[in-house]
């Protein structure tokens, strides 16, 4: 059984995350996601919209994910690779060549998959800030003001 390990915050889950997880799982048989805790996010200078438990719940609902473990610091990766017998660590290409991951090649294969362009948690947050508040009535296509409530 080929075991894949990946790391991330996975806040406001979007199709870039899903595509990464799908392609990571396709490299093996078992996918472990080390999910950044809220405390580690603070160290990374990130504040997730959803807390760790919620982000974990959402990841565990994804068919490609077999196990979610906490990512609590930058230094745990070698132990994770050994403890979970990971054959491959997979990250998106924004991490390609990073000192945070390249040293792991002494312990396992390291694969960087193309990052999905056009989507990010930051983009979602920024664009939501610009949106007009929804008026609370979901307009059914073709429905106009005259027949509301009939
Ligand atoms: N990702 C992607 N395409 C996007 C957005 C994200 O492929 N449009 C990938 C990232 O490259 C990463 C994973 O999805 O591999 C999770 O992304 P983040 O939640 O932003 O994770 P990050 O903050 O990069 O945390 O120790 C490493 C860190 O925990 C990684």
């Amino acid at each position: 059984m080929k075991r894949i390990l990946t790391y991330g915050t996975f806040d406001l889950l979007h199709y870039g995350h899903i595509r990464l997880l799908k392609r990571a799982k396709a490299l093996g048989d078992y996918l472990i996601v080390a999910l950044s805790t809220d405390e580690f996010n603070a160290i990374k200078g990130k504040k997730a919209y959803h807390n760790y438990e919620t982000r974990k719940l959402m990841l565990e609902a994804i068919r490609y994910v077999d196990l979610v473990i906490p990512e609590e610091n930058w230094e745990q990766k070698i132990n994770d690779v050994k403890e979970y017998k990971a054959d491959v660590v997979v990250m998106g290409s924004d991490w390609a060549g990073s000192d945070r991951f390249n040293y792991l090649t002494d312990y396992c294969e390291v694969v960087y998959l193309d990052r999905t362009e056009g989507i990010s948690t930051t983009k979602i947050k920024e664009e939501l800030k610009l949106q007009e508040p929804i008026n609370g009535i979901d307009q059914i296509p073709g429905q106009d003001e005259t027949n509301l409530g009939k």
Side-chain angles (χ1 to χ4, degrees):
M1 175 187 276
K2 194 167 183 184
R3 302 165 67 87
I4 314 294
L5 172 61
T6 189
Y7 292 81
T9 302
F10 296 98
D11 190 31
L12 298 182
L13 209 55
H14 55 67
Y15 64 88
H17 294 139
I18 300 299
R19 282 191 72 243
L20 186 284
L21 295 169
K22 180 174 184 176
R23 288 174 293 156
K25 181 59 174 288
L27 294 175
D29 309 288
Y30 191 87
L31 176 60
I32 304 148
V33 179
L35 179 63
S36 308
T37 61
D38 299 326
E39 296 75 14
F40 182 49
N41 272 332
I43 293 169
K44 289 197 287 184
K46 278 186 155 184
K47 174 91 175 71
Y49 178 83
H50 291 304
N51 66 23
Y52 176 79
E53 284 312 316
T54 300
R55 289 181 285 119
K56 181 171 184 284
L57 191 74
M58 293 172 79
L59 279 175
E60 288 171 341
I62 298 171
R63 69 174 69 175
Y64 311 117
V65 176
D66 296 290
L67 177 66
V68 179
I69 61 172
E71 179 190 28
E72 297 170 302
N73 55 64
W74 291 112
E75 298 75 27
Q76 68 182 71
K77 297 185 177 70
I78 294 174
N79 290 333
D80 292 343
V81 168
K82 291 177 179 170
E83 181 175 349
Y84 295 95
K85 299 178 178 57
D87 301 291
V88 189
V89 164
V90 174
M91 292 299 289
S93 55
D94 46 318
W95 289 94
S98 163
D99 293 343
R100 297 288 191 193
F101 287 92
N102 272 7
Y103 71 97
L104 292 171
T105 51
D106 294 339
Y107 303 92
C108 64
E109 191 183 347
V110 179
V111 172
Y112 300 107
L113 300 173
D114 284 351
R115 181 183 173 85
T116 301
E117 294 308 319
I119 186 71
S120 69
T121 303
T122 305
K123 185 174 190 283
I124 293 169
K125 285 179 178 174
E126 282 168 1
E127 293 191 4
L128 281 177
K129 275 184 208 156
L130 300 175
Q131 263 191 0
E132 290 300 312
I134 295 171
N135 65 10
I137 300 172
D138 286 330
Q139 295 306 326
I140 298 165
Q143 181 175 10
D144 60 26
E145 296 296 320
T146 53
N147 64 3
L148 277 181
K150 282 182 181 163

